[in-house]
Amino acid sequence: MPIKIENINKPRSEPNMDDYCSTRRKKFSLFSSSHSTSRFSVYGLISSACILTLFQIHMLLFSRRQPNASPITFLPLKDLRFAATPMDGSTWFMSALNDTHEAGEAEHLLFPSYASHHKLLCLAGRDRSNGTRNSYALAPRGSLPEGAKLLKGISFVSDSYYDYENLWHGLSAVVPFMAWHGRKRCEKPERWVLYHRGELRVQMSPWVSSLIEAVLGEEPRIEDYAEAGDGPYCFEKAVVFRHNEGEMKGKRKEMVYEMMRCKSRVSCGLLNGGEGGEGVVRVTLLLRTGARSFKDEKGVLNVFHSECRKVDRCRLTVARSDNLTFCDQVKLMTETDILASPHGAQLTNMFLMDRNSSVMEFFPKGWKQLAGAGQFVFRWIAIAAGIRHQGAWHDPVGDPCPYADNSRCFPFYKNGRIGHDDAYLTNWTSRVIRETRDYKLTDGYRTTRRRLRTETCLCSAKEGRRS
Ligand SMILES: *[C@@H]1O[C@H](CO)[C@@H](O)[C@H](O)[C@H]1NC(C)=O
Ligand SMILES: *[C@@H]1O[C@H](CO)[C@@H](O)[C@H](O)[C@H]1NC(C)=O
Ligand SMILES: *[C@@H]1O[C@H](CO)[C@@H](O)[C@H](O)[C@H]1NC(C)=O
Ligand SMILES: *[C@@H]1O[C@H](CO)[C@@H](O)[C@H](O)[C@H]1NC(C)=O
Ligand SMILES: *[C@@H]1O[C@H](CO)[C@@H](O)[C@H](O)[C@H]1NC(C)=O
């Protein structure tokens, strides 16, 4: 429920103990007004539990005592009334605020703006485990809540239903901000404010952080409020994305992925467009260890080896996703035309290959029937980044699910190992290698490659600016 806080600026009578813990306004006013030493003696009578409660409420609710200011209302950052449909409409994060929609763009909230009635966004949101304990409010710039600290510059505020650790989830959260950077004259944030279901997050995976650094030219500064004091903080300017890519359309995605690909390569010291002569086909088998690894790795390798050997100037690289730095991954992808790999976060790297490169994806038993839309995420990246998704292998072999309840079967299959079929894999690999070889001999490929080598990235260093 919304908590409404009135601005109180009138002298009050001596509070009595019942009032302290019964009405919110009194609790609040006690702390927001100046009190005499004699009033403090009254505090001594109150149980410490009550003090603690009051103190916690004080942490959440603030108001400036200004005679003519309208009330500032703090609302829970995560609104449990929408727990059943957390990502629909205005979502459960800042649920009272409507998104601004622009054709082809991810929907966003901007503060201050016409939509925010020119008010700033203020947050009292340090809780890292319970989003309903965090809160937000809108305040006029000249009348911020009491004790609020104004954070200068533009802040990128994100809420993700997923997380910032997994490569694919992290990328999804970051893409709309990259798009903002690319289309708002390369605007760079002063800080990133990250929420996961309304809970504060102060870390993202090193890969995601490296990607941001490559694109923006500086490490992301993730706000932890260590320096902001106890009060709420208001943002001079903030843009909020809470739907990941949301309504972003293909054309914008293409721009963002192109920028991320180009800037990642440049920041890792590589040539955009990569090495490797015409007609060379570079196949990379990116292996996993443990979950979703191949049952017969050697057998899979043999098929790739023998099919690659049949095509002039085909080169096979075998790599493992463990222990590769961001730049190792960028380099590997820049030098790959065909990426073959089990379904997993390492496939997120595919957008770092040239456009029109190919991906071959492998799934263990059970995914096709039980994984729902989640199994298609790498097809979505492929579409967004202009990569050819060359289909998926679904291993039909494996132990049957021992549970009657289907919801327990996906977890049973999820991280299974992947078997293969020699004949099928041979046919598939052979087709993709030959197709790639033929494409790389076309004039279209040569022209694209020449263009890429001379182009500078969108928002290259000179253009970067801070608002
Ligand atoms: C948000 O949109 C809904 C539906 O269009 C509207 O009823 C509501 O008043 C809007 N809320 C705000 C805060 O603008
Ligand atoms: C989260 O905090 C709210 C408000 O303090 C409380 O009612 C709720 O039980 C908490 N939820 C969890 C899961 O701890
Ligand atoms: C990855 O690095 C860890 C620690 O540095 C090491 O124990 C492990 O063997 C490495 N794995 C591979 C596949 O190199
Ligand atoms: C591969 O399979 C397709 C049908 O799926 C078939 O038409 C084609 O002849 C096969 N190619 C080889 C080399 O076996
Ligand atoms: C992409 O590659 C395929 C062959 O692999 C080719 O048929 C197609 O024309 C290429 N598309 C572009 C835009 O170059």
Side-chain angles (χ1 to χ4, degrees):
M1 276 318 323
I3 303 159
K4 190 147 197 160
I5 299 140
E6 317 261 327
N7 290 309
I8 290 151
N9 196 27
K10 55 182 189 303
R12 277 157 296 92
S13 56
E14 205 65 23
N16 72 49
M17 199 174 137
D18 287 339
D19 281 340
Y20 276 17
C21 292
S22 60
T23 78
R24 210 179 265 132
R25 174 196 283 230
K26 282 271 168 57
K27 283 177 209 164
F28 171 73
S29 57
L30 235 176
F31 281 87
S32 68
S33 63
S34 56
H35 20 243
S36 66
T37 344
S38 72
R39 272 191 191 145
F40 265 109
S41 67
V42 179
Y43 284 83
L45 301 171
I46 308 164
S47 74
S48 56
C50 184
I51 292 270
L52 190 64
T53 311
L54 296 176
F55 184 68
Q56 282 167 343
I57 288 163
H58 177 64
M59 299 277 283
L60 263 172
L61 315 172
F62 300 85
S63 174
R64 167 164 288 187
R65 288 169 289 126
Q66 279 200 353
N68 298 318
S70 52
I72 289 173
T73 307
F74 273 85
L75 300 168
L77 201 49
K78 176 165 113 177
D79 187 342
L80 288 178
R81 290 175 304 168
F82 301 105
T85 53
M87 293 304 286
D88 290 0
S90 50
T91 78
W92 65 359
F93 182 83
M94 300 190 186
S95 64
L97 303 176
N98 292 336
D99 288 301
T100 295
H101 299 261
E102 290 174 81
E105 308 293 349
E107 52 276 51
H108 70 273
L109 300 163
L110 180 64
F111 308 93
S113 66
Y114 177 76
S116 82
H117 305 287
H118 310 290
K119 288 181 179 173
L120 307 194
L121 174 67
C122 301
L123 291 173
R126 289 177 176 73
D127 202 290
R128 298 184 189 185
S129 61
N130 184 339
T132 65
R133 291 208 189 115
N134 290 327
S135 61
Y136 70 103
L138 300 188
R141 177 155 187 157
S143 168
L144 302 182
E146 175 154 321
K149 179 169 172 153
L150 182 68
L151 300 180
K152 299 274 186 175
I154 182 167
S155 303
F156 281 1
V157 181
S158 169
D159 184 64
S160 175
Y161 186 76
Y162 304 101
D163 58 56
Y164 302 95
E165 296 299 328
N166 172 287
L167 269 51
W168 150 250
H169 292 159
L171 180 70
S172 311
V174 155
V175 158
F177 294 98
M178 297 292 170
W180 183 272
H181 171 72
R183 73 193 184 92
K184 299 285 177 183
R185 298 191 296 148
C186 311
E187 189 168 53
K188 292 183 191 186
E190 208 55 57
R191 66 190 63 73
W192 292 72
V193 185
L194 306 178
Y195 287 98
H196 167 56
R197 307 181 186 183
E199 301 162 11
L200 186 69
R201 289 291 177 270
V202 295
Q203 252 180 300
M204 40 172 90
S205 91
W207 184 93
V208 177
S209 176
S210 300
L211 177 65
I212 292 175
E213 187 173 350
V215 174
L216 301 182
E218 60 194 27
E219 242 181 279
R221 210 180 73 66
I222 302 172
E223 188 59 61
D224 60 5
Y225 302 121
E227 289 166 16
D230 285 341
Y233 20 87
C234 299
F235 302 97
E236 184 174 49
K237 185 177 174 191
V239 60
V240 179
F241 287 101
R242 54 182 177 176
H243 298 270
N244 293 337
E245 292 172 3
E247 296 170 352
M248 193 186 295
K249 290 286 183 292
K251 219 171 142 60
R252 177 63 66 210
K253 287 186 190 171
E254 190 183 311
M255 179 211 89
V256 176
Y257 280 95
E258 188 70 53
M259 176 176 69
M260 294 192 299
R261 171 191 294 129
C262 184
K263 296 203 88 172
S264 298
R265 289 176 175 185
V266 169
S267 85
C268 292
L270 301 163
L271 210 56
N272 196 20
E275 309 294 338
E278 274 149 31
V280 173
V281 177
R282 302 160 302 174
V283 183
T284 297
L285 189 53
L286 187 53
L287 299 171
R288 287 171 62 101
T289 306
R292 271 173 265 140
S293 57
F294 289 111
K295 283 179 189 160
D296 176 10
E297 214 163 65
K298 207 154 166 257
V300 171
L301 250 159
N302 282 341
V303 172
F304 275 91
H305 264 306
S306 70
E307 289 317 299
C308 195
R309 216 178 297 128
K310 287 179 193 162
V311 171
D312 193 29
R313 309 187 72 194
C314 176
R315 292 201 311 243
L316 177 66
T317 303
V318 181
R320 266 179 206 285
S321 59
D322 334 62
N323 296 1
L324 291 179
T325 66
F326 178 72
C327 281
D328 289 344
Q329 295 174 67
V330 175
K331 184 168 191 296
L332 185 62
M333 292 300 107
T334 302
E335 294 169 356
T336 296
D337 300 304
I338 300 170
L339 174 63
S341 193
H343 177 89
Q346 79 287 347
L347 269 174
T348 308
N349 283 298
M350 75 168 79
F351 73 86
L352 296 163
M353 296 193 286
D354 282 342
R355 288 182 69 78
N356 214 18
S357 298
S358 289
V359 167
M360 301 166 72
E361 191 176 3
F362 299 78
F363 289 90
K365 180 179 174 164
W367 275 71
K368 190 173 188 164
Q369 297 73 27
L370 301 170
Q375 67 186 289
F376 301 117
V377 296
F378 297 113
R379 286 181 191 260
W380 300 338
I381 293 193
I383 292 167
I387 306 295
R388 297 159 57 79
H389 195 287
Q390 296 277 11
W393 161 254
H394 292 275
D395 186 8
V397 180
D399 294 336
C401 175
Y403 308 113
D405 173 7
N406 237 354
S407 69
R408 292 174 74 191
C409 284
F410 182 58
F412 171 80
Y413 288 125
K414 186 173 180 215
N415 289 326
R417 299 182 67 205
I418 306 171
H420 75 282
D421 175 280
D422 265 345
Y424 182 93
L425 185 58
T426 301
N427 182 324
W428 185 24
T429 305
S430 158
R431 177 178 65 76
V432 176
I433 290 178
R434 283 160 207 276
E435 218 178 273
T436 302
R437 194 263 326 265
D438 293 347
Y439 166 60
K440 290 194 74 178
L441 291 171
T442 62
D443 286 339
Y445 171 74
R446 288 194 194 99
T447 315
T448 308
R449 190 178 157 83
R450 230 175 285 127
R451 179 179 57 75
L452 278 179
R453 289 199 158 181
T454 57
E455 257 176 20
T456 52
C457 311
L458 179 65
C459 293
S460 44
K462 299 180 278 313
E463 301 169 51
R465 65 181 270 281
R466 220 173 262 290
S467 69

